[in-house]
Amino acid sequence: MMSPRLATAPLRAVPVEVPVPEEGFAADLRRALAGPVHSISPKYFYDAEGSRLFDLICGLPEYYPTRTERGILSAYASEMAEEIGRGCDLVEFGAGSCSKVRLLLDHLRPRRYLPIDISGEHLEQAAAQLEREHPGLLVLPVTGDYTAQVHLPPPLEGAPRVGFFPGSTIGNFTPAEALQFLRMAAKMLQGGGLLLGADLVKDPALLHAAYNDAQDVTAAFNLNLLARANRELGCRFDLRAFWHSSFYNAAERRIEMHLVSRKRQQVEVGGAEFELEEGFSLHTENSCKFTVDSLRRLALQAGFRPGAVWTDERRLFSVHWLRAPD
Ligand code: AVI
């Protein structure tokens, strides 16, 4: 019996078109407007104007997180240094103007300080100023996105790497991103640990006030996302045709910020047109709130061993010492 034979033709490479998703602000904004999920990353808030508005938010009477965390750091800096140990190699994620680390430096006395931030120019200035204030402290600024791969200088012999991530920025990540970030940090900080600031679940009225301030600075910060699209992408969003909506979603334990269309309107982003209904809501930010236990569980899941926790008297905010694996 003849065995069946397959007809074989010479093999030829056939180009396969794999669609590469477009990246960047314009592409993300188009995707968010088209749906099905009308949400965009809060990272787009932070151009120069957005960073200026955020600095103003930090000083607002209703916005308790910044001053409360600063209070905790000042009150317990020496206890924190006892726990962490002196002479570490200190890495700050999203250091900005390096302002909160100043509360720790005299107690922690790190051998080296590596502030990481996306905004290189601003960081260089802040680092130079810090070096002037702390002669003897080696400051090596690292420009980059700390949620992606950053290349740090090689570790220092005998100086455990300690991370500092204040401000509860961890709350602006999705739960999956938070876990991914903490896993990356646990690896990077092997043998050392992470000092992490996390905002706590509290009376919704206090939360509501913090994200709906009387001077409308938070509203301007939220609307700056569209103003930025006008500046950078040549869009023509009418800012008066949107309102700032911010509320506490108790089931998800988070503040949500949205930009809501006041009317039916047509908008355009890079040649693509979108018809927005009245009430159309673009989800611009989540700010997740934690309990001390929920944060410790998350850290444990990422591979840390949760250590000491410091809070203020009203338990508005928490600072956690998380030991990284050896
Ligand atoms: C940067 N981040 C921790 C702030 C927060 O509270 O979630 C951003 C912010 N959004 C509105 N106000 C402040």
Side-chain angles (χ1 to χ4, degrees):
M1 211 171 67
M2 290 229 323
S3 56
R5 284 253 188 118
L6 289 176
T8 51
L11 282 177
R12 240 184 328 125
V14 181
V16 180
E17 296 250 324
V18 181
V20 179
E22 268 190 284
E23 280 179 24
F25 186 24
D28 283 350
L29 188 54
R30 277 197 295 266
R31 257 192 297 273
L33 293 174
V37 182
H38 300 300
S39 82
I40 187 162
S41 166
K43 71 179 179 192
Y44 293 116
F45 285 143
Y46 300 95
D47 65 346
E49 176 61 3
S51 303
R52 186 189 73 80
L53 288 167
F54 179 64
D55 283 348
L56 287 181
I57 288 176
C58 291
L60 289 172
E62 298 94 331
Y63 194 73
Y64 63 85
T66 310
R67 62 170 177 280
T68 310
E69 186 181 41
R70 291 184 69 89
I72 297 170
L73 293 173
S74 318
Y76 298 108
S78 122
E79 232 179 73
M80 289 174 186
E82 287 297 321
E83 198 69 29
I84 296 168
R86 296 185 169 83
C88 66
D89 193 17
L90 186 62
V91 180
E92 181 169 354
F93 301 102
S97 346
C98 312
S99 74
K100 286 180 188 159
V101 79
R102 286 180 160 81
L103 302 170
L104 298 175
L105 288 177
D106 288 341
H107 298 273
L108 210 50
R109 297 202 292 273
R111 285 214 359 231
R112 190 169 67 171
Y113 171 54
L114 310 172
I116 309 175
D117 206 280
I118 195 99
S119 162
E121 203 182 316
H122 186 61
L123 184 67
E124 297 281 340
Q125 286 169 10
Q129 175 64 27
L130 196 69
E131 242 176 353
R132 279 194 291 277
E133 287 168 25
H134 291 264
L137 173 68
L138 180 60
V139 183
L140 292 181
V142 179
T143 303
D145 175 0
Y146 62 85
T147 60
Q149 281 285 325
V150 273
H151 295 287
L152 294 182
L156 283 179
E157 184 76 20
R161 212 158 238 181
V162 167
F164 181 43
F165 193 33
S168 201
T169 301
I170 186 95
N172 297 132
F173 295 162
T174 64
E177 286 166 349
L179 190 58
Q180 192 186 353
F181 169 77
L182 289 175
R183 284 198 169 129
M184 178 279 293
K187 248 196 214 148
M188 176 197 270
L189 304 171
Q190 247 177 21
L194 177 66
L195 191 65
L196 173 73
D199 197 10
L200 295 176
V201 169
K202 59 184 60 65
D203 177 359
L206 262 179
L207 285 168
H208 186 86
Y211 293 84
N212 290 280
D213 65 277
Q215 296 168 63
D216 281 341
V217 183
T218 312
F221 174 69
N222 196 6
L223 284 159
N224 180 56
L225 189 121
L226 300 180
R228 180 179 181 180
N230 289 351
R231 285 191 294 272
E232 286 182 19
L233 310 175
C235 301
R236 288 201 301 271
F237 284 104
D238 175 3
L239 302 196
R240 290 159 309 180
F242 292 86
W243 62 279
H244 158 74
S245 160
S246 175
F247 56 88
Y248 184 56
N249 178 336
E252 301 290 341
R253 289 183 177 159
R254 68 188 188 205
I255 283 283
E256 290 188 16
M257 294 215 307
H258 296 250
L259 289 165
V260 184
S261 179
R262 292 184 192 275
K263 58 178 189 189
R264 190 189 176 107
Q265 55 179 313
Q266 261 201 351
V267 296
E268 197 198 307
V269 181
E273 289 197 349
F274 303 88
E275 186 84 31
L276 308 185
E277 295 299 322
E278 180 182 343
F280 167 91
S281 180
L282 176 64
H283 190 169
T284 50
E285 187 183 61
N286 285 324
S287 185
C288 298
K289 307 303 165 190
F290 302 88
T291 63
V292 164
D293 281 348
S294 73
L295 195 289
R296 285 165 70 91
R297 274 198 301 276
L298 181 67
L300 200 61
Q301 210 184 333
F304 284 101
R305 272 179 297 125
V309 186
W310 297 272
T311 66
D312 55 297
E313 256 177 30
R314 297 168 67 198
R315 287 180 82 87
L316 297 178
F317 202 92
S318 58
V319 177
H320 297 247
W321 171 234
L322 307 170
R323 285 183 199 286
D326 292 325

